[in-house]
């Protein structure tokens, strides 16, 4: 492993994902350690460029930085901040679940990264524990904008097939619609996984998982972890809501973390929605 690409010496293979291979590399002149994602197909270069352009404009303590993007010998390469440490998925698996305190701490940091992205009309679309790394200091960093896109740019959605990780997909994503609220659904799935060690929507096939998701049919987290607080349970209930309009936003999650009493405030729109539902029947 001594291959050099445009002044970067590849030092270690890190893994492969939906878009290509990822290597650790060292920049020869600055000696900076980076992660380089090599895209397997040149036809996807534009999608990759989209990932690069989106991430390059992003500066947030809980989102991995992007340094460069270039095409070398027909190979599109994305140069990113190298984030050392395990993924949140590995940490959850190792510990079976996380303490409530740790889960709320990570929830707040990821919600703040999502709020930052959503303020800029960027949707992540692939938020999951496997795409979050924990640094040596225990700080979560969001990786992988492979599926991210500007909220107002539908170009890459006309693929005709589902993209994303099924278990974290929001109900509306099954009909090809993704919005900021879809990331908030995935945040609810992530919070549930941190607290219980299980995905709220498990099944043996994608279509079975899809059916459960579209009905928001999940086991109460308290059934799996009786010690889970009422606040955590209510927060999950307000994130795993089928209607995207009624789901909490990332900003609302941050507000609730600051002031958990907000969870108990009743939704004043609810009686009107019920009435409207009856009138439509
Ligand atoms: N910036 C980075 N720093 C350190 N490791 C990284 C970085 N980006 C990706 N990796 C690691 O490289 C491997 C491949 O990552 P990649 O994002 O391509 O796929 P994935 O997340 O496993 O799958 P998918 O593409 O389906 O989301 C993973 O183990 C990931 O943790």
């Amino acid at each position: 492993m001594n291959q050099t690409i445009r002044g970067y010496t590849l030092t270690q293979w890190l893994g492969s994902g939906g878009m290509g291979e990822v290597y650790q590399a060292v920049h020869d002149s600055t000696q900076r350690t980076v992660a380089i994602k090599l895209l397997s197909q040149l036809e996807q270069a534009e999608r990759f460029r989209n990932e690069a352009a989106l991430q390059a404009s992003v500066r947030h303590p809980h989102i991995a930085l992007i340094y460069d993007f270039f095409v070398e010998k027909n190979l599109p390469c994305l140069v990113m901040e190298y984030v050392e440490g395990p993924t949140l998925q590995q940490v959850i698996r190792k510990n079976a679940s996380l303490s409530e305190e740790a889960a709320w701490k990570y929830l707040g940091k990821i919600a703040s990264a999502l709020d930052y992205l959503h303020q800029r009309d960027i949707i992540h679309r692939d938020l999951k524990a496997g795409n979050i790394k924990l640094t040596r200091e225990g700080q979560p960093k969001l990786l992988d904008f492979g599926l991210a896109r500007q909220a107002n740019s539908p170009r890459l959605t006309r693929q005709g097939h589902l993209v994303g990780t099924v278990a974290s997909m929001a109900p509306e994503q099954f009909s090809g619609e993704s919005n900021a609220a879809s990331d908030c659904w995935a945040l609810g799935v992530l919070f549930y996984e941190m607290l219980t060690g299980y995905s709220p929507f498990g099944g043996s096939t994608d279509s079975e998982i899809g059916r459960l998701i579209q009905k928001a049919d999940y086991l109460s987290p308290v059934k799996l972890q009786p010690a889970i607080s009422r606040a955590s349970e209510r927060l999950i209930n307000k994130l795993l809501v089928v209607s995207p309009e009624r789901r909490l936003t990332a900003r609302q999650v941050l507000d609730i973390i600051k002031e958990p009493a907000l969870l108990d405030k009743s939704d004043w729109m609810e009686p009107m929605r019920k009435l409207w539902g009856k009138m439509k029947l």
Side-chain angles (χ1 to χ4, degrees):
M1 166 90 28
N2 268 325
Q3 209 186 327
T4 300
I5 301 176
R6 191 90 65 108
Y8 291 94
T9 302
L10 306 188
T11 46
Q12 196 190 331
W13 180 74
L14 295 174
S16 61
M19 298 180 71
E21 307 279 319
V22 183
Y23 292 86
Q24 187 193 59
V26 175
H27 191 225
D28 297 340
S29 50
T30 60
Q31 290 298 298
R32 175 150 74 180
T33 300
V34 298
I36 298 194
K37 204 181 238 191
L38 308 178
L39 186 67
S40 41
Q41 289 156 332
L42 190 60
E43 310 86 72
Q44 286 181 33
E46 198 187 331
R47 194 184 176 101
F48 224 38
R49 204 179 290 283
N50 175 48
E51 175 173 1
L54 276 183
Q55 274 196 43
S57 63
V58 164
R59 290 270 178 286
H60 187 278
H62 300 299
I63 301 176
L65 284 171
I66 184 119
Y67 297 133
D68 201 0
F69 173 79
F70 51 82
V71 179
E72 182 81 2
K73 295 192 188 111
N74 279 347
L75 198 62
C77 309
L78 181 71
V79 186
M80 305 170 272
E81 173 183 355
Y82 172 70
V83 187
E84 206 174 349
T87 65
L88 192 49
Q89 183 181 37
Q90 289 165 332
V91 174
I92 296 171
R93 283 203 184 135
K94 189 168 159 227
N95 299 288
S97 63
L98 304 185
S99 70
E100 214 161 356
E101 192 192 345
W104 277 82
K105 186 179 87 182
Y106 295 143
L107 175 81
K109 296 186 179 208
I110 302 300
S112 108
L114 282 187
D115 182 49
Y116 174 94
L117 294 175
H118 294 168
Q119 298 294 329
R120 286 158 184 77
D121 278 345
I122 299 173
I123 306 170
H124 188 284
R125 297 218 300 167
D126 197 22
L127 179 71
K128 57 179 180 178
N131 276 342
I132 297 165
K133 281 202 139 207
L134 289 182
T135 65
R136 228 180 288 183
E137 295 75 37
Q139 295 298 329
K141 286 232 183 201
L142 202 45
L143 305 175
D144 210 346
F145 278 61
L147 302 170
R149 68 179 175 89
Q150 212 88 25
N152 58 6
S153 142
R155 267 180 78 223
L156 295 177
T157 61
R158 295 197 198 117
Q159 304 266 324
H161 58 260
L162 300 173
V163 282
T165 307
V166 174
S168 295
M169 273 171 72
E172 65 276 8
Q173 289 180 299
F174 288 84
S175 36
E177 200 192 303
S178 276
N179 45 50
S182 315
D183 284 344
C184 295
W185 173 281
L187 186 66
V189 171
L190 179 73
F191 190 43
Y192 187 107
E193 287 173 351
M194 288 193 285
L195 290 167
T196 67
Y198 291 92
S199 167
F201 306 104
S204 44
T205 61
D206 282 356
S207 57
E208 195 184 321
I209 297 173
R211 267 197 304 278
L212 295 171
I213 291 175
Q214 285 171 83
K215 289 187 283 175
D217 184 359
Y218 59 94
L219 193 64
S220 161
V222 179
K223 295 250 161 66
L224 296 164
Q225 288 284 356
I228 286 174
S229 68
R230 179 94 183 100
S232 294
E233 191 190 12
R234 294 203 67 187
L235 189 57
I236 287 170
N237 290 344
K238 284 173 180 267
L239 283 167
L240 299 183
V241 173
V242 173
S243 160
E245 296 81 37
R246 295 180 55 198
R247 218 171 280 154
L248 289 179
T249 63
R251 169 101 328 246
Q252 285 171 321
V253 171
L254 291 174
D255 290 343
I256 287 168
I257 291 172
K258 267 196 236 130
E259 200 187 332
L262 287 174
L263 273 173
D264 298 320
K265 290 222 170 105
S266 66
D267 178 0
W268 60 272
M269 284 287 285
E270 193 55 30
M272 272 160 68
R273 281 200 195 95
K274 276 194 184 139
L275 189 66
W276 178 240
K278 274 187 199 144
M279 281 164 63
K280 280 206 286 194
L281 286 176

